[in-house]
Amino acid sequence: MQPERLLIVTAVEAEAAAVRAGVQASGVHPDTVVVAPVGVGPAAAAAGTARLLTLAEAAGTPYRAVLSAGIAGGFPGRAVVGATVLGARTIAADLGAEAPDGFLPVDQLGFGSNLLEADPALRKTLTAALPAAIVGDILTLATVTGTAQTADILQTRHPRAVAEAMEGYGVACAAQLAGVPFAEIRTISNPIGPRDRAAWRLPEAFSALTEAVAAACG
């Protein structure tokens, strides 16, 4: 009988390598966790995750859950560089329409929802394994924030948001369609605001990601 497997998807190989190091450090059997980079952005993430879930189901070895994992930008005052964040909800923050009075999310337009909840049981397990993690909303954006003005707008529009990335909502949509529990875990590499590569702390964020995955899988 095949063991139940967890799927962890990232955007790029560098994130996947950090996740694999965490899986190895956790001591779990390597056959129980599959780590795969599926591409940058919500569309690539949705397509890549859906393909992996479909192939596993067709083979008779469906995944027990899927995690969207990687690095992210943190909202100042909510998640500092190096912190680990868990998504209570994953929100497609730029999915909607512009209007004279401001942005209208897709749910207000009557075309579905731009918000998906993390699986409660999976979130509870991750929170117990990572008690220091910051729990809040994680925004998915096709264009990440690069100005103070946009950061302020997003913070005001999403008072519970702690971080932004580019893939979570796509992964969540694929998981929901497949009926597979979903959650999102990120580590903070930079503050959200004016684009400043000198302020990014990628090694620290990758190290934190390895540690978080090791604790989550252990």
Side-chain angles (χ1 to χ4, degrees):
M1 182 176 179
Q2 292 285 342
E4 285 193 323
R5 299 181 303 161
L6 171 68
L7 174 62
I8 305 179
V9 295
T10 69
V12 297
E13 177 57 34
E15 293 170 318
V19 170
R20 291 189 194 104
V23 173
Q24 183 176 12
S26 73
V28 299
H29 194 288
D31 290 343
T32 63
V33 183
V34 175
V35 182
V38 293
V40 176
T49 303
R51 177 178 179 273
L52 292 171
L53 294 175
T54 300
L55 288 173
E57 185 176 359
T61 56
Y63 292 103
R64 62 178 176 84
V66 57
L67 295 181
S68 176
I71 61 175
F75 282 104
R78 300 180 185 176
V80 300
V81 172
T84 297
V85 299
L86 296 174
R89 305 184 299 177
T90 295
I91 300 173
D94 55 1
L95 183 61
E98 289 186 329
D101 295 331
F103 178 77
L104 295 174
V106 70
D107 54 336
Q108 291 187 22
L109 299 173
F111 300 136
S113 176
N114 70 332
L115 181 155
L116 290 170
E117 301 268 355
D119 178 77
L122 185 54
R123 175 184 160 188
K124 182 178 180 180
T125 298
L126 291 172
T127 302
L130 298 162
I134 301 164
V135 180
D137 295 339
I138 300 179
L139 307 184
T140 297
L141 294 156
T143 302
V144 296
T145 301
T147 67
Q149 180 183 14
T150 301
D152 289 342
I153 290 171
L154 289 173
Q155 282 191 299
T156 300
R157 189 184 298 158
H158 301 283
R160 295 167 55 187
V162 294
E164 72 169 27
M166 302 181 75
E167 293 80 32
Y169 184 79
V171 178
C173 286
Q176 183 185 56
L177 287 173
V180 176
F182 161 84
E184 184 171 7
I185 179 171
R186 299 275 175 179
T187 53
I188 304 304
S189 60
N190 58 279
I192 294 170
R195 185 173 175 81
D196 178 13
R197 287 296 298 267
W200 292 11
R201 297 292 180 265
L202 296 180
E204 291 89 338
F206 287 136
S207 178
L209 184 60
T210 295
E211 292 178 8
V213 170
C217 292

